[in-house]
Amino acid sequence: MSAPPEEPAGQAETGTGGVDGGVDGVVAAARALGLAVEVVRHGPVASLAEAAAARGVEPHRLVKTMVVRVAEDDHRFVLVPGDRQIAWPKLRALLGVNRLTMASAEEARRVTGYERGTITPLGSAHALPVVADAGVAGRISIGGGEHGVGVTVDAGDLAAALGAQVADVTETVEAARA
């Protein structure tokens, strides 16, 4: 097995995130990074559009935190605007690799401590390098570590605090189908 990836600058493992820390761990991790966040709690939602409405943001400002597997024990967070999806050729080129896969639900939980639908780069069980799509901008809502919870934060501040690599790595759903 290879060694785990190094922590990106500015992000320390807090030990308070994931399933044990929930939204409190997310908020503590945000504060440790000097981020101002707003917690928005809402009931169950069945779609991205419902989640965006419940959080009071437009769908492109609801940012999905995807866990991508580069190699065994080598993962990245990829921050994707809600109305877009990963453009795999762009992401592979950026990372200089020939193959990438989405982490399975079990693998994502092991790496982050969060269930799918709650994943956030804040307070993760393991600090991972972050790639933020160039379209992630302004006030955004990201996962809050628990179902029915979002955290609103400034995208630029989040990217800077996490040492994120910002690049064009997404495409519209329509473009992917073409």
Side-chain angles (χ1 to χ4, degrees):
M1 274 211 230
S2 62
E6 293 182 19
E7 292 178 14
Q11 182 176 4
E13 290 186 45
T14 64
T16 59
V19 292
D20 296 330
V23 69
D24 292 336
V26 171
V27 171
R31 286 187 181 143
L33 291 170
L35 295 171
V37 297
E38 175 188 347
V39 174
V40 178
R41 296 178 185 272
H42 55 82
V45 293
S47 69
L48 179 115
E50 282 184 25
R55 295 180 189 186
V57 297
E58 296 173 24
H60 72 278
R61 296 211 186 269
L62 195 147
V63 174
K64 303 173 283 193
T65 303
M66 314 298 281
V67 180
V68 173
R69 183 179 190 267
V70 179
E72 185 176 340
D73 294 325
D74 186 2
H75 299 82
R76 302 289 187 280
F77 283 126
V78 182
L79 304 182
V80 177
D83 61 348
R84 299 182 67 84
Q85 63 185 26
I86 293 173
W88 294 101
K90 291 179 181 181
L91 186 57
R92 285 193 304 267
L94 179 74
L95 298 177
V97 298
N98 293 324
R99 186 167 190 266
L100 292 169
T101 58
M102 289 295 298
S104 68
E106 179 181 307
E107 185 176 23
R109 184 177 175 125
R110 177 182 55 77
V111 171
T112 69
Y114 298 116
E115 294 178 25
R116 278 199 179 152
T118 71
I119 296 174
T120 174
L122 298 171
S124 177
H126 299 280
L128 302 177
V130 178
V131 175
D133 182 68
V136 174
R139 293 291 289 169
I140 61 168
S141 179
I142 61 174
E146 297 175 19
H147 291 286
V149 178
V151 175
T152 305
V153 63
D154 180 81
D157 292 345
L158 178 67
L162 297 174
Q165 185 174 10
V166 179
D168 175 15
V169 295
T170 67
E171 62 190 357
T172 64
V173 174
E174 295 79 24
R177 291 182 186 152

Short mmCIF file of all heavy atoms in Angstrom, two decimals, residues 43-104:
data_model
loop_
_atom_site.label_atom_id
_atom_site.label_comp_id
_atom_site.label_asym_id
_atom_site.label_seq_id
_atom_site.Cartn_x
_atom_site.Cartn_y
_atom_site.Cartn_z
N GLY A 43 -35.74 19.91 5.95
CA GLY A 43 -36.22 18.53 5.97
C GLY A 43 -35.68 17.73 4.82
O GLY A 43 -34.84 18.20 4.04
N PRO A 44 -36.18 16.52 4.67
CA PRO A 44 -35.73 15.66 3.57
C PRO A 44 -36.04 16.30 2.22
O PRO A 44 -37.04 17.00 2.06
CB PRO A 44 -36.57 14.39 3.74
CG PRO A 44 -37.05 14.42 5.16
CD PRO A 44 -37.16 15.86 5.53
N VAL A 45 -35.17 16.08 1.25
CA VAL A 45 -35.36 16.58 -0.11
C VAL A 45 -35.14 15.41 -1.07
O VAL A 45 -34.39 14.49 -0.78
CB VAL A 45 -34.40 17.74 -0.44
CG1 VAL A 45 -34.73 18.97 0.39
CG2 VAL A 45 -32.94 17.34 -0.22
N ALA A 46 -35.81 15.50 -2.22
CA ALA A 46 -35.75 14.40 -3.18
C ALA A 46 -34.93 14.73 -4.42
O ALA A 46 -34.71 13.87 -5.26
CB ALA A 46 -37.16 13.99 -3.59
N SER A 47 -34.48 15.97 -4.55
CA SER A 47 -33.72 16.34 -5.74
C SER A 47 -32.80 17.52 -5.43
O SER A 47 -32.95 18.19 -4.41
CB SER A 47 -34.68 16.74 -6.87
OG SER A 47 -35.33 17.96 -6.55
N LEU A 48 -31.90 17.77 -6.36
CA LEU A 48 -31.01 18.90 -6.22
C LEU A 48 -31.81 20.20 -6.21
O LEU A 48 -31.53 21.09 -5.41
CB LEU A 48 -30.00 18.92 -7.38
CG LEU A 48 -29.05 20.11 -7.31
CD1 LEU A 48 -27.64 19.64 -7.09
CD2 LEU A 48 -29.18 20.97 -8.53
N ALA A 49 -32.82 20.30 -7.07
CA ALA A 49 -33.64 21.51 -7.12
C ALA A 49 -34.35 21.74 -5.79
O ALA A 49 -34.41 22.88 -5.30
CB ALA A 49 -34.66 21.41 -8.26
N GLU A 50 -34.87 20.69 -5.18
CA GLU A 50 -35.52 20.82 -3.87
C GLU A 50 -34.51 21.23 -2.80
O GLU A 50 -34.81 22.08 -1.96
CB GLU A 50 -36.17 19.50 -3.45
CG GLU A 50 -37.49 19.22 -4.12
CD GLU A 50 -38.13 17.94 -3.58
OE1 GLU A 50 -37.84 17.53 -2.42
OE2 GLU A 50 -38.92 17.34 -4.32
N ALA A 51 -33.33 20.65 -2.84
CA ALA A 51 -32.30 21.01 -1.86
C ALA A 51 -31.89 22.47 -2.01
O ALA A 51 -31.74 23.19 -1.02
CB ALA A 51 -31.08 20.10 -2.00
N ALA A 52 -31.71 22.92 -3.25
CA ALA A 52 -31.34 24.32 -3.49
C ALA A 52 -32.42 25.25 -2.97
O ALA A 52 -32.12 26.24 -2.29
CB ALA A 52 -31.09 24.55 -4.98
N ALA A 53 -33.68 24.94 -3.27
CA ALA A 53 -34.78 25.77 -2.79
C ALA A 53 -34.84 25.80 -1.26
O ALA A 53 -35.02 26.85 -0.66
CB ALA A 53 -36.11 25.27 -3.36
N ALA A 54 -34.66 24.64 -0.65
CA ALA A 54 -34.70 24.56 0.82
C ALA A 54 -33.56 25.35 1.46
O ALA A 54 -33.72 25.87 2.56
CB ALA A 54 -34.63 23.09 1.26
N ARG A 55 -32.43 25.45 0.77
CA ARG A 55 -31.28 26.18 1.30
C ARG A 55 -31.26 27.64 0.85
O ARG A 55 -30.37 28.40 1.24
CB ARG A 55 -29.98 25.49 0.88
CG ARG A 55 -29.84 24.11 1.48
CD ARG A 55 -28.56 23.48 1.04
NE ARG A 55 -28.48 22.07 1.44
CZ ARG A 55 -27.41 21.32 1.28
NH1 ARG A 55 -26.33 21.83 0.72
NH2 ARG A 55 -27.43 20.07 1.66
N GLY A 56 -32.22 28.02 0.00
CA GLY A 56 -32.31 29.40 -0.44
C GLY A 56 -31.24 29.82 -1.42
O GLY A 56 -30.83 30.99 -1.44
N VAL A 57 -30.77 28.88 -2.26
CA VAL A 57 -29.76 29.21 -3.27
C VAL A 57 -30.22 28.69 -4.63
O VAL A 57 -31.08 27.81 -4.71
CB VAL A 57 -28.37 28.59 -2.93
CG1 VAL A 57 -27.83 29.16 -1.63
CG2 VAL A 57 -28.43 27.08 -2.88
N GLU A 58 -29.64 29.23 -5.68
CA GLU A 58 -29.90 28.72 -7.02
C GLU A 58 -29.18 27.39 -7.18
O GLU A 58 -28.14 27.17 -6.54
CB GLU A 58 -29.41 29.73 -8.05
CG GLU A 58 -30.15 31.06 -8.00
CD GLU A 58 -29.54 32.10 -8.92
OE1 GLU A 58 -28.86 31.72 -9.90
OE2 GLU A 58 -29.73 33.28 -8.64
N PRO A 59 -29.69 26.49 -8.04
CA PRO A 59 -29.07 25.17 -8.18
C PRO A 59 -27.57 25.19 -8.47
O PRO A 59 -26.84 24.35 -7.95
CB PRO A 59 -29.85 24.53 -9.33
CG PRO A 59 -31.22 25.14 -9.21
CD PRO A 59 -30.95 26.58 -8.81
N HIS A 60 -27.08 26.16 -9.24
CA HIS A 60 -25.64 26.18 -9.54
C HIS A 60 -24.81 26.59 -8.32
O HIS A 60 -23.60 26.39 -8.29
CB HIS A 60 -25.32 27.07 -10.74
CG HIS A 60 -25.45 28.53 -10.50
ND1 HIS A 60 -26.66 29.18 -10.55
CD2 HIS A 60 -24.52 29.46 -10.19
CE1 HIS A 60 -26.48 30.46 -10.29
NE2 HIS A 60 -25.20 30.66 -10.07
N ARG A 61 -25.45 27.14 -7.30
CA ARG A 61 -24.73 27.52 -6.07
C ARG A 61 -24.81 26.45 -4.99
O ARG A 61 -24.22 26.60 -3.93
CB ARG A 61 -25.27 28.84 -5.55
CG ARG A 61 -25.01 29.98 -6.53
CD ARG A 61 -24.83 31.28 -5.81
NE ARG A 61 -24.72 32.38 -6.74
CZ ARG A 61 -23.56 32.82 -7.22
NH1 ARG A 61 -22.45 32.25 -6.88
NH2 ARG A 61 -23.55 33.85 -8.06
N LEU A 62 -25.53 25.37 -5.26
CA LEU A 62 -25.51 24.21 -4.38
C LEU A 62 -24.37 23.34 -4.90
O LEU A 62 -24.45 22.78 -5.99
CB LEU A 62 -26.83 23.45 -4.40
CG LEU A 62 -26.97 22.47 -3.25
CD1 LEU A 62 -28.42 22.36 -2.83
CD2 LEU A 62 -26.40 21.14 -3.58
N VAL A 63 -23.29 23.26 -4.16
CA VAL A 63 -22.07 22.62 -4.64
C VAL A 63 -21.95 21.21 -4.07
O VAL A 63 -21.99 21.01 -2.85
CB VAL A 63 -20.84 23.49 -4.29
CG1 VAL A 63 -19.54 22.78 -4.65
CG2 VAL A 63 -20.93 24.83 -5.02
N LYS A 64 -21.79 20.26 -4.99
CA LYS A 64 -21.62 18.86 -4.62
C LYS A 64 -20.14 18.61 -4.34
O LYS A 64 -19.28 19.05 -5.09
CB LYS A 64 -22.07 17.96 -5.77
CG LYS A 64 -23.52 18.18 -6.19
CD LYS A 64 -23.88 17.38 -7.42
CE LYS A 64 -23.31 18.03 -8.67
NZ LYS A 64 -23.86 17.49 -9.92
N THR A 65 -19.87 17.90 -3.25
CA THR A 65 -18.50 17.49 -2.93
C THR A 65 -18.37 16.03 -3.32
O THR A 65 -18.93 15.15 -2.68
CB THR A 65 -18.19 17.68 -1.44
OG1 THR A 65 -18.41 19.05 -1.07
CG2 THR A 65 -16.75 17.29 -1.13
N MET A 66 -17.65 15.78 -4.41
CA MET A 66 -17.47 14.44 -4.93
C MET A 66 -16.13 13.89 -4.45
O MET A 66 -15.15 14.64 -4.33
CB MET A 66 -17.48 14.46 -6.46
CG MET A 66 -18.61 15.29 -7.07
SD MET A 66 -20.25 14.73 -6.67
CE MET A 66 -20.38 13.39 -7.81
N VAL A 67 -16.08 12.59 -4.17
CA VAL A 67 -14.84 11.93 -3.78
C VAL A 67 -14.38 11.08 -4.96
O VAL A 67 -15.07 10.14 -5.36
CB VAL A 67 -15.01 11.07 -2.52
CG1 VAL A 67 -13.68 10.41 -2.14
CG2 VAL A 67 -15.53 11.91 -1.36
N VAL A 68 -13.22 11.45 -5.51
CA VAL A 68 -12.68 10.77 -6.68
C VAL A 68 -11.46 9.96 -6.26
O VAL A 68 -10.61 10.46 -5.51
CB VAL A 68 -12.31 11.80 -7.77
CG1 VAL A 68 -11.59 11.15 -8.93
CG2 VAL A 68 -13.55 12.54 -8.25
N ARG A 69 -11.40 8.74 -6.76
CA ARG A 69 -10.26 7.85 -6.47
C ARG A 69 -9.25 7.97 -7.60
O ARG A 69 -9.57 7.68 -8.75
CB ARG A 69 -10.75 6.41 -6.36
CG ARG A 69 -9.69 5.42 -6.01
CD ARG A 69 -10.33 4.03 -5.91
NE ARG A 69 -9.44 3.07 -5.36
CZ ARG A 69 -8.65 2.29 -6.08
NH1 ARG A 69 -8.64 2.37 -7.39
NH2 ARG A 69 -7.87 1.41 -5.49
N VAL A 70 -8.04 8.41 -7.27
CA VAL A 70 -6.95 8.51 -8.23
C VAL A 70 -6.20 7.19 -8.29
O VAL A 70 -5.86 6.70 -9.36
CB VAL A 70 -6.00 9.68 -7.87
CG1 VAL A 70 -4.85 9.78 -8.85
CG2 VAL A 70 -6.77 10.99 -7.79
N ALA A 71 -5.94 6.63 -7.13
CA ALA A 71 -5.25 5.34 -6.98
C ALA A 71 -5.59 4.82 -5.59
O ALA A 71 -6.24 5.51 -4.80
CB ALA A 71 -3.74 5.52 -7.13
N GLU A 72 -5.12 3.63 -5.30
CA GLU A 72 -5.37 3.08 -3.97
C GLU A 72 -4.84 4.04 -2.91
O GLU A 72 -3.70 4.51 -3.00
CB GLU A 72 -4.67 1.72 -3.82
CG GLU A 72 -5.00 1.04 -2.51
CD GLU A 72 -4.40 -0.35 -2.40
OE1 GLU A 72 -4.05 -0.93 -3.44
OE2 GLU A 72 -4.27 -0.83 -1.27
N ASP A 73 -5.69 4.39 -1.95
CA ASP A 73 -5.35 5.32 -0.88
C ASP A 73 -4.94 6.71 -1.38
O ASP A 73 -4.18 7.41 -0.73
CB ASP A 73 -4.26 4.74 0.03
CG ASP A 73 -4.74 3.54 0.80
OD1 ASP A 73 -5.92 3.51 1.19
OD2 ASP A 73 -3.93 2.60 1.01
N ASP A 74 -5.45 7.11 -2.54
CA ASP A 74 -5.19 8.44 -3.10
C ASP A 74 -6.51 8.98 -3.65
O ASP A 74 -6.97 8.52 -4.70
CB ASP A 74 -4.12 8.37 -4.19
CG ASP A 74 -3.72 9.74 -4.70
OD1 ASP A 74 -4.23 10.77 -4.20
OD2 ASP A 74 -2.89 9.79 -5.63
N HIS A 75 -7.10 9.91 -2.92
CA HIS A 75 -8.40 10.46 -3.28
C HIS A 75 -8.33 11.98 -3.35
O HIS A 75 -7.45 12.59 -2.76
CB HIS A 75 -9.45 10.05 -2.24
CG HIS A 75 -9.64 8.58 -2.14
ND1 HIS A 75 -8.81 7.76 -1.40
CD2 HIS A 75 -10.55 7.77 -2.71
CE1 HIS A 75 -9.21 6.51 -1.52
NE2 HIS A 75 -10.27 6.49 -2.30
N ARG A 76 -9.31 12.57 -4.03
CA ARG A 76 -9.45 14.02 -4.11
C ARG A 76 -10.91 14.38 -3.85
O ARG A 76 -11.81 13.62 -4.22
CB ARG A 76 -9.11 14.55 -5.50
CG ARG A 76 -7.73 14.26 -6.02
CD ARG A 76 -6.65 15.07 -5.30
NE ARG A 76 -5.36 14.91 -5.92
CZ ARG A 76 -4.55 13.87 -5.73
NH1 ARG A 76 -4.91 12.89 -4.95
NH2 ARG A 76 -3.37 13.83 -6.32
N PHE A 77 -11.12 15.53 -3.25
CA PHE A 77 -12.44 16.14 -3.24
C PHE A 77 -12.53 16.95 -4.53
O PHE A 77 -11.59 17.67 -4.87
CB PHE A 77 -12.60 17.11 -2.07
CG PHE A 77 -12.84 16.46 -0.73
CD1 PHE A 77 -12.02 16.77 0.34
CD2 PHE A 77 -13.89 15.59 -0.53
CE1 PHE A 77 -12.23 16.21 1.59
CE2 PHE A 77 -14.13 15.02 0.71
CZ PHE A 77 -13.30 15.33 1.77
N VAL A 78 -13.66 16.86 -5.21
CA VAL A 78 -13.91 17.70 -6.38
C VAL A 78 -15.21 18.45 -6.10
O VAL A 78 -16.25 17.83 -5.89
CB VAL A 78 -14.00 16.88 -7.68
CG1 VAL A 78 -14.22 17.81 -8.88
CG2 VAL A 78 -12.73 16.04 -7.89
N LEU A 79 -15.13 19.77 -6.09
CA LEU A 79 -16.29 20.62 -5.83
C LEU A 79 -16.94 20.98 -7.16
O LEU A 79 -16.29 21.59 -8.02
CB LEU A 79 -15.87 21.88 -5.06
CG LEU A 79 -15.12 21.64 -3.75
CD1 LEU A 79 -14.81 22.97 -3.07
CD2 LEU A 79 -15.90 20.73 -2.83
N VAL A 80 -18.20 20.58 -7.31
CA VAL A 80 -18.91 20.67 -8.58
C VAL A 80 -20.20 21.46 -8.41
O VAL A 80 -21.03 21.12 -7.56
CB VAL A 80 -19.24 19.24 -9.09
CG1 VAL A 80 -20.04 19.27 -10.38
CG2 VAL A 80 -17.97 18.41 -9.24
N PRO A 81 -20.41 22.52 -9.23
CA PRO A 81 -21.70 23.24 -9.16
C PRO A 81 -22.85 22.26 -9.39
O PRO A 81 -22.74 21.32 -10.19
CB PRO A 81 -21.60 24.25 -10.31
CG PRO A 81 -20.13 24.44 -10.52
CD PRO A 81 -19.52 23.09 -10.24
N GLY A 82 -23.96 22.49 -8.70
CA GLY A 82 -25.08 21.57 -8.72
C GLY A 82 -25.66 21.26 -10.08
O GLY A 82 -26.18 20.17 -10.31
N ASP A 83 -25.57 22.20 -11.01
CA ASP A 83 -26.15 21.99 -12.33
C ASP A 83 -25.15 21.46 -13.34
O ASP A 83 -25.39 21.46 -14.54
CB ASP A 83 -26.78 23.29 -12.85
CG ASP A 83 -25.76 24.42 -12.99
OD1 ASP A 83 -24.62 24.30 -12.49
OD2 ASP A 83 -26.11 25.44 -13.62
N ARG A 84 -24.01 20.97 -12.86
CA ARG A 84 -22.95 20.47 -13.74
C ARG A 84 -22.48 19.11 -13.24
O ARG A 84 -22.88 18.65 -12.17
CB ARG A 84 -21.79 21.47 -13.79
CG ARG A 84 -22.25 22.83 -14.36
CD ARG A 84 -21.14 23.83 -14.48
NE ARG A 84 -20.14 23.49 -15.46
CZ ARG A 84 -20.23 23.74 -16.76
NH1 ARG A 84 -21.31 24.30 -17.27
NH2 ARG A 84 -19.24 23.43 -17.57
N GLN A 85 -21.62 18.47 -14.03
CA GLN A 85 -21.03 17.20 -13.63
C GLN A 85 -19.56 17.20 -14.01
O GLN A 85 -19.12 18.02 -14.81
CB GLN A 85 -21.76 16.03 -14.27
CG GLN A 85 -21.69 15.99 -15.77
CD GLN A 85 -22.54 14.87 -16.36
OE1 GLN A 85 -23.52 14.44 -15.76
NE2 GLN A 85 -22.15 14.38 -17.51
N ILE A 86 -18.82 16.27 -13.43
CA ILE A 86 -17.39 16.18 -13.73
C ILE A 86 -17.20 15.86 -15.20
O ILE A 86 -17.85 14.97 -15.75
CB ILE A 86 -16.72 15.10 -12.86
CG1 ILE A 86 -16.73 15.51 -11.38
CG2 ILE A 86 -15.28 14.84 -13.33
CD1 ILE A 86 -16.23 14.43 -10.43
N ALA A 87 -16.30 16.59 -15.84
CA ALA A 87 -15.85 16.29 -17.21
C ALA A 87 -14.58 15.46 -17.04
O ALA A 87 -13.50 16.01 -16.79
CB ALA A 87 -15.59 17.57 -17.99
N TRP A 88 -14.72 14.16 -17.12
CA TRP A 88 -13.61 13.25 -16.81
C TRP A 88 -12.35 13.53 -17.61
O TRP A 88 -11.25 13.52 -17.02
CB TRP A 88 -14.08 11.81 -16.92
CG TRP A 88 -15.10 11.50 -15.87
CD1 TRP A 88 -16.44 11.43 -16.02
CD2 TRP A 88 -14.84 11.29 -14.48
NE1 TRP A 88 -17.05 11.18 -14.80
CE2 TRP A 88 -16.09 11.09 -13.84
CE3 TRP A 88 -13.69 11.26 -13.70
CZ2 TRP A 88 -16.20 10.85 -12.48
CZ3 TRP A 88 -13.81 11.02 -12.34
CH2 TRP A 88 -15.05 10.82 -11.75
N PRO A 89 -12.41 13.80 -18.92
CA PRO A 89 -11.17 14.09 -19.64
C PRO A 89 -10.45 15.34 -19.09
O PRO A 89 -9.23 15.36 -18.98
CB PRO A 89 -11.63 14.32 -21.08
CG PRO A 89 -12.92 13.54 -21.19
CD PRO A 89 -13.56 13.69 -19.83
N LYS A 90 -11.22 16.36 -18.72
CA LYS A 90 -10.62 17.57 -18.16
C LYS A 90 -9.96 17.29 -16.82
O LYS A 90 -8.85 17.76 -16.55
CB LYS A 90 -11.68 18.66 -17.97
CG LYS A 90 -12.22 19.25 -19.24
CD LYS A 90 -13.28 20.30 -18.90
CE LYS A 90 -13.91 20.93 -20.11
NZ LYS A 90 -14.91 21.95 -19.73
N LEU A 91 -10.64 16.53 -15.96
CA LEU A 91 -10.09 16.23 -14.63
C LEU A 91 -8.86 15.34 -14.74
O LEU A 91 -7.86 15.57 -14.05
CB LEU A 91 -11.15 15.60 -13.73
CG LEU A 91 -10.75 15.38 -12.28
CD1 LEU A 91 -10.31 16.68 -11.61
CD2 LEU A 91 -11.90 14.73 -11.51
N ARG A 92 -8.90 14.34 -15.63
CA ARG A 92 -7.73 13.47 -15.83
C ARG A 92 -6.53 14.29 -16.31
O ARG A 92 -5.40 14.12 -15.82
CB ARG A 92 -8.04 12.35 -16.82
CG ARG A 92 -8.89 11.26 -16.26
CD ARG A 92 -8.93 10.02 -17.17
NE ARG A 92 -9.37 10.32 -18.51
CZ ARG A 92 -10.63 10.24 -18.95
NH1 ARG A 92 -11.58 9.87 -18.12
NH2 ARG A 92 -10.92 10.51 -20.20
N ALA A 93 -6.77 15.20 -17.25
CA ALA A 93 -5.68 16.04 -17.76
C ALA A 93 -5.11 16.93 -16.66
O ALA A 93 -3.89 17.06 -16.53
CB ALA A 93 -6.18 16.89 -18.93
N LEU A 94 -5.98 17.52 -15.86
CA LEU A 94 -5.52 18.38 -14.77
C LEU A 94 -4.65 17.61 -13.78
O LEU A 94 -3.62 18.11 -13.33
CB LEU A 94 -6.72 18.99 -14.02
CG LEU A 94 -6.36 19.88 -12.84
CD1 LEU A 94 -5.82 21.21 -13.32
CD2 LEU A 94 -7.56 20.08 -11.94
N LEU A 95 -5.07 16.40 -13.44
CA LEU A 95 -4.34 15.60 -12.45
C LEU A 95 -3.20 14.79 -13.06
O LEU A 95 -2.43 14.16 -12.33
CB LEU A 95 -5.31 14.67 -11.71
CG LEU A 95 -6.40 15.38 -10.91
CD1 LEU A 95 -7.35 14.36 -10.27
CD2 LEU A 95 -5.81 16.29 -9.84
N GLY A 96 -3.10 14.78 -14.40
CA GLY A 96 -2.01 14.08 -15.06
C GLY A 96 -2.10 12.57 -14.94
O GLY A 96 -1.07 11.90 -14.81
N VAL A 97 -3.32 12.06 -15.00
CA VAL A 97 -3.52 10.61 -14.90
C VAL A 97 -4.37 10.13 -16.07
O VAL A 97 -5.06 10.90 -16.71
CB VAL A 97 -4.19 10.21 -13.56
CG1 VAL A 97 -3.30 10.59 -12.37
CG2 VAL A 97 -5.57 10.84 -13.42
N ASN A 98 -4.30 8.82 -16.32
CA ASN A 98 -5.08 8.22 -17.40
C ASN A 98 -6.40 7.64 -16.93
O ASN A 98 -7.28 7.36 -17.75
CB ASN A 98 -4.28 7.11 -18.09
CG ASN A 98 -3.09 7.66 -18.82
OD1 ASN A 98 -3.15 8.73 -19.40
ND2 ASN A 98 -1.99 6.92 -18.78
N ARG A 99 -6.53 7.43 -15.62
CA ARG A 99 -7.74 6.78 -15.11
C ARG A 99 -8.13 7.37 -13.76
O ARG A 99 -7.29 7.58 -12.89
CB ARG A 99 -7.47 5.28 -14.95
CG ARG A 99 -8.69 4.50 -14.56
CD ARG A 99 -8.45 3.00 -14.73
NE ARG A 99 -9.69 2.28 -14.58
CZ ARG A 99 -10.10 1.75 -13.44
NH1 ARG A 99 -9.37 1.84 -12.35
NH2 ARG A 99 -11.24 1.11 -13.37
N LEU A 100 -9.43 7.63 -13.62
CA LEU A 100 -10.02 8.09 -12.37
C LEU A 100 -11.35 7.37 -12.21
O LEU A 100 -11.99 7.03 -13.20
CB LEU A 100 -10.32 9.59 -12.41
CG LEU A 100 -9.17 10.56 -12.46
CD1 LEU A 100 -9.69 11.96 -12.77
CD2 LEU A 100 -8.45 10.56 -11.13
N THR A 101 -11.77 7.18 -10.97
CA THR A 101 -13.09 6.63 -10.72
C THR A 101 -13.72 7.36 -9.55
O THR A 101 -13.03 7.95 -8.71
CB THR A 101 -13.05 5.12 -10.38
OG1 THR A 101 -12.22 4.93 -9.22
CG2 THR A 101 -12.49 4.30 -11.53
N MET A 102 -15.05 7.31 -9.49
CA MET A 102 -15.74 7.81 -8.31
C MET A 102 -15.51 6.79 -7.21
O MET A 102 -15.53 5.58 -7.45
CB MET A 102 -17.24 7.92 -8.57
CG MET A 102 -17.61 9.05 -9.52
SD MET A 102 -17.25 10.67 -8.85
CE MET A 102 -18.31 10.70 -7.43
N ALA A 103 -15.31 7.26 -6.00
CA ALA A 103 -15.21 6.36 -4.86
C ALA A 103 -16.58 5.74 -4.62
O ALA A 103 -17.61 6.41 -4.78
CB ALA A 103 -14.75 7.12 -3.63
N SER A 104 -16.61 4.47 -4.25
CA SER A 104 -17.87 3.84 -3.90
C SER A 104 -18.41 4.51 -2.64
O SER A 104 -17.68 5.21 -1.93
CB SER A 104 -17.66 2.34 -3.64
OG SER A 104 -16.90 2.17 -2.45
#
